[in-house]
Amino acid sequence: MGKDIRKSYRRYLRLQKNFTENTIDAYLRDLDKLLRWLQSTGVEAVAAKLEDLQQFAASLHDLGIGPRSQCRILSGVRSFYRFLMIDGHRDDDPTELLESPQLGEHLPEVLTTEEVDQLESAIDLSKWEGHRNRAIIEVLFSCGLRVSELVGLRLSDLYLDEFFLRVVGKGRKERLVPISKRAVEELGYWFDSRCHMDIKAGEEDYVFLNRRGAHLTRTMILIMVKRAAADAGIVKNISPHTLRHSFATALLEGGADLRAIQAMLGHESIGTTEIYTHIDMTTLRQQILEHHPRNLR
């Protein structure tokens, strides 16, 4: 496949799909897996047939790649062949009948409000980053942000007097998210520390900074959350995304409408939000088994 087509595809992902650079790089990495495999079989990407792509899908399984990762890679393959049609390189889409592996129902780990409190209480406030880390955890839990949204959060996105944040989510779509009084208080404590920092030029508008005055990365926040969980004695395998799941589950258990949760999470499809109904039913079933008089001995 010519470099020009790959460049055009990158431009399509950026301009037409409005993807971030991280998402574009992920799509191109998955595309490269396909291109290397097709090259090894002597097939040109623009001429590939359904049978070729089915064999590629089978090769992913043979390499031991898990079903979820297979689905992601094949989703990228479909995107690429749709682009080839749009850009006039093909008259047909060979991926129309390309099947992805079936995924079993996977319910994400969630924390109770009490466990979130444990997480925050385990943070050492005598350290310079203590109030920052507590504010991060509280904002993730109170607002249900993706970690990438938190990393990119800016002071100009905060409307704390009105208890709202402006969030830039996937596809650079903006949404307004309510923020709790508790989270506003934790941000206030962090800002008291932040105002004494030497902040790098160009980083002044970012809410959360590292000790060198630059904005945080997703990896930094992942490490911080896992350390806090270990210090709090929480044995669940959690990540920053766990706090987003916990936010949605707490809303659902509190009686929030699924469409409202969808809007706050920034989900494009209601189907993505519906995973939380399964979590809620799992919790309900456990409560019935433990507390219904017919189940007590």
Side-chain angles (χ1 to χ4, degrees):
M1 184 187 74
K3 290 183 179 179
D4 289 345
I5 293 179
R6 197 175 188 279
K7 283 184 179 178
S8 296
Y9 181 51
R10 173 183 275 278
R11 191 161 54 247
Y12 163 79
L13 293 175
R14 187 174 68 251
L15 301 178
Q16 297 295 321
K17 303 299 288 183
N18 206 22
F19 287 160
T20 64
E21 285 302 316
N22 283 338
T23 302
I24 291 169
D25 289 342
Y27 268 69
L28 292 176
R29 281 196 301 272
D30 289 341
L31 173 62
D32 287 339
K33 292 181 177 68
L34 171 67
L35 298 180
R36 285 194 296 270
W37 188 88
L38 288 173
Q39 187 177 36
S40 72
T41 62
V43 176
E44 283 287 327
V46 292
K49 298 178 180 177
L50 173 61
E51 296 76 24
D52 299 315
L53 301 179
Q54 286 173 330
Q55 289 177 30
F56 169 68
S59 76
L60 298 176
H61 175 77
D62 294 341
L63 288 170
I65 296 173
R68 199 166 294 277
S69 295
Q70 290 179 46
C71 286
R72 189 202 69 234
I73 293 168
L74 294 179
S75 174
V77 170
R78 291 187 188 91
S79 170
F80 175 65
Y81 280 97
R82 282 194 294 271
F83 156 75
L84 290 182
M85 282 187 64
I86 292 169
D87 217 42
H89 298 285
R90 289 189 67 117
D91 296 324
D92 66 323
D93 181 358
T95 67
E96 279 184 340
L97 299 177
L98 182 64
E99 294 184 356
S100 292
Q102 292 294 313
L103 295 176
E105 187 177 274
H106 172 69
L107 301 183
E109 196 82 80
V110 295
L111 297 175
T112 64
T113 304
E114 291 72 24
E115 285 173 323
V116 175
D117 289 340
Q118 275 180 254
L119 202 60
E120 293 180 0
S121 297
I123 291 172
D124 185 353
L125 296 181
S126 68
K127 294 183 177 179
W128 81 267
E129 72 272 23
H131 283 299
R132 181 202 67 184
N133 292 351
R134 275 186 56 156
I136 286 172
I137 290 171
E138 188 58 39
V139 170
L140 286 171
F141 179 61
S142 292
C143 303
L145 303 190
R146 300 177 178 95
V147 68
S148 58
E149 294 169 347
L150 183 105
V151 164
L153 194 63
R154 296 172 182 264
L155 298 176
S156 52
D157 295 324
L158 307 183
Y159 302 91
L160 300 185
D161 290 340
E162 291 82 23
F163 292 94
F164 273 97
L165 305 179
R166 180 178 61 209
V167 178
V168 181
K170 287 187 176 180
R172 298 189 181 90
K173 292 180 180 175
E174 292 188 2
R175 68 185 190 278
L176 290 175
V177 178
I179 182 170
S180 69
K181 183 179 178 183
R182 169 78 173 270
V184 171
E185 289 173 352
E186 294 295 348
L187 281 172
Y189 296 137
W190 157 235
F191 290 152
D192 288 342
S193 303
R194 186 185 182 281
C195 67
H196 298 295
M197 293 183 65
D198 184 16
I199 300 173
K200 283 189 175 181
E203 305 283 292
E204 297 91 350
D205 198 30
Y206 285 100
V207 173
F208 296 110
L209 304 168
N210 62 27
R211 64 175 64 246
R212 293 180 297 279
H215 69 277
L216 296 175
T217 65
R218 291 179 293 181
T219 302
M220 290 175 185
I221 294 175
L222 172 65
I223 292 169
M224 181 274 290
V225 169
K226 285 192 172 293
R227 282 178 179 165
D231 292 343
I234 295 172
V235 296
K236 294 175 179 176
N237 182 23
I238 71 167
S239 70
H241 213 68
T242 307
L243 292 159
R244 178 170 160 88
H245 293 315
S246 305
F247 161 84
T249 304
L251 284 177
L252 189 65
E253 289 176 349
D257 178 77
L258 202 61
R259 289 284 180 188
I261 298 173
Q262 177 191 4
M264 283 185 278
L265 292 173
H267 285 159
E268 192 166 327
S269 166
I270 191 71
T272 309
T273 317
E274 284 174 347
I275 181 68
Y276 299 107
T277 63
H278 299 308
I279 299 172
D280 195 35
M281 288 306 295
T282 302
T283 305
L284 178 61
R285 178 179 178 275
Q286 190 63 34
Q287 291 293 312
I288 291 171
L289 288 175
E290 289 181 4
H291 302 295
H292 193 280
R294 295 301 189 203
N295 297 318
L296 297 176
R297 293 181 180 178

